[in-house]
Amino acid sequence: MIEIRDLHVDYGKVSAVRGVSVTARPGRVTLVLGANGAGKTTTLRTVAGLTTPSSGDVLLDGESIKGWPAHKILKRGISLVPEGRKVFGSLTVHENLKIGGLVASKKAREESMRTVFEMFPILEERQSGPAGLLSGGEQQMLAFGRSLMSQPGYILMDEPSMGLAPAVVDRVMASVRSIADRGIGVLMVEQNAEAGMKIADDVVVVNRGESVYSGPVDEARNHSSVVLAFLGEAALTGTDN
Ligand SMILES: Nc1ncnc2c1ncn2[C@@H]1O[C@H](COP(=O)(O)OP(=O)(O)O)[C@@H](O)[C@H]1O
Ligand SMILES: [Mg+2]
């Protein structure tokens, strides 16, 4: 279990996160909703060890990982799929995947590669070609695959639907669900609330750096007028950032 407890993160004088608490569990998709600038990316980057919090804590199975370097957090099984996918366009699909598995042994890497190809057959078909020639949806699958190569217990996903056509968004969300169904805990930031809620188990709403709601997806959908207000706002804000 990943527990983010009352996290605060500052960029100099800018307070980006000021009181975010989120729990992610194995086999579950925890969806983090919030408008542009709410602090979602900062939260994920802090869990991954790319940003240092000013206060609060991040626990992995009860142990604080706050302030640990990113490579150590990755080795412990928390992998980040960054905003904008960030695949290496001039490298082949196969090379991109190999990079994701660098923390693992050669044997584990070969095993992971087989699993990734089973999950995303298109990546096996295109493995020798440059990643830059893949479509947006395929690049997102490559970003998931690269992340899976380290055999993580948890994957942090930053706006995987960003910039994708609606039909592709549903395919990408189905992939997210199938990743969680393998027992991996997924902590996913999305501005596309509707698409995310179709496959999520739990929902957290972040407003201006603070988590203001968390609950199971059905409750979030049916009960909270607060959440509905944010869903409306998120839908209006669109998919930018
Ligand atoms: N590197 C940075 N330096 C200064 N301010 C930043 C930086 N990154 C993000 N911010 C600010 O922190 C706040 C939260 O940003 P971010 O975490 O990217 O939000 P979100 O992902 O929800 O859109 C915003 O006000 C943003 O302008
Ligand atoms: Mg963001």
Side-chain angles (χ1 to χ4, degrees):
M1 184 161 75
I2 296 176
E3 292 166 271
I4 303 169
R5 290 190 184 161
D6 196 21
L7 195 69
H8 288 64
V9 187
D10 304 316
Y11 295 109
K13 285 189 175 143
V14 178
S15 166
V17 172
R18 41 189 170 184
V20 166
S21 297
V22 180
T23 300
R25 295 185 169 82
R28 291 180 80 83
V29 176
T30 303
L31 170 65
V32 179
L33 298 175
N36 215 346
K40 306 179 300 296
T41 294
T42 302
T43 299
L44 292 192
R45 288 177 53 84
T46 305
V47 174
L50 298 170
T51 306
T52 311
S54 52
S55 67
D57 210 349
V58 181
L59 308 182
L60 174 60
D61 297 330
E63 181 183 9
S64 177
I65 58 169
K66 179 171 114 169
W68 284 22
H71 66 88
K72 195 172 162 195
I73 292 176
L74 177 63
K75 269 210 136 165
R76 275 299 177 89
I78 300 178
S79 170
L80 173 70
V81 179
E83 196 171 356
R85 307 181 246 288
K86 308 281 196 307
V87 304
F88 302 105
S90 58
L91 299 184
T92 66
V93 167
H94 190 272
E95 285 163 344
N96 270 273
L97 291 173
K98 220 171 138 184
I99 287 168
L102 286 179
V103 293
S105 67
K106 186 158 184 281
K107 186 162 171 284
R109 203 153 62 220
E110 282 165 4
E111 185 191 298
S112 307
M113 189 85 74
R114 274 198 301 277
T115 306
V116 168
F117 286 157
E118 263 167 43
M119 292 184 78
F120 306 112
I122 187 73
L123 297 183
E124 184 165 27
E125 280 170 39
R126 301 286 172 82
Q127 61 174 303
S128 311
L133 289 186
L134 298 177
S135 71
E138 289 162 357
Q139 288 192 15
Q140 188 59 53
M141 287 171 193
L142 176 57
F144 289 159
R146 184 178 59 188
S147 170
L148 286 162
M149 286 295 294
S150 62
Q151 302 196 343
Y154 294 88
I155 302 186
L156 316 173
M157 302 177 176
D158 199 348
E159 308 228 20
S161 84
M162 193 202 290
L164 302 180
V168 182
V169 169
D170 283 344
R171 275 225 310 279
V172 166
M173 289 299 138
S175 306
V176 173
R177 185 68 253 173
S178 71
I179 288 169
D181 289 344
R182 303 180 73 85
I184 294 169
V186 174
L187 183 56
M188 176 173 72
V189 162
E190 259 299 338
Q191 286 207 17
N192 190 336
E194 261 320 305
M197 284 174 79
K198 280 185 199 157
I199 57 101
D201 298 294
D202 304 298
V203 176
V204 176
V205 175
V206 177
N207 184 36
R208 295 173 196 272
E210 248 186 284
S211 47
V212 294
Y213 172 85
S214 65
V217 69
D218 292 338
E219 182 190 295
R221 197 190 289 285
N222 295 325
H223 286 282
S224 172
S225 55
V226 179
V227 173
L228 289 177
F230 285 113
L231 293 185
E233 188 180 329
L236 287 174
T237 313
T239 55
D240 186 28
N241 192 37

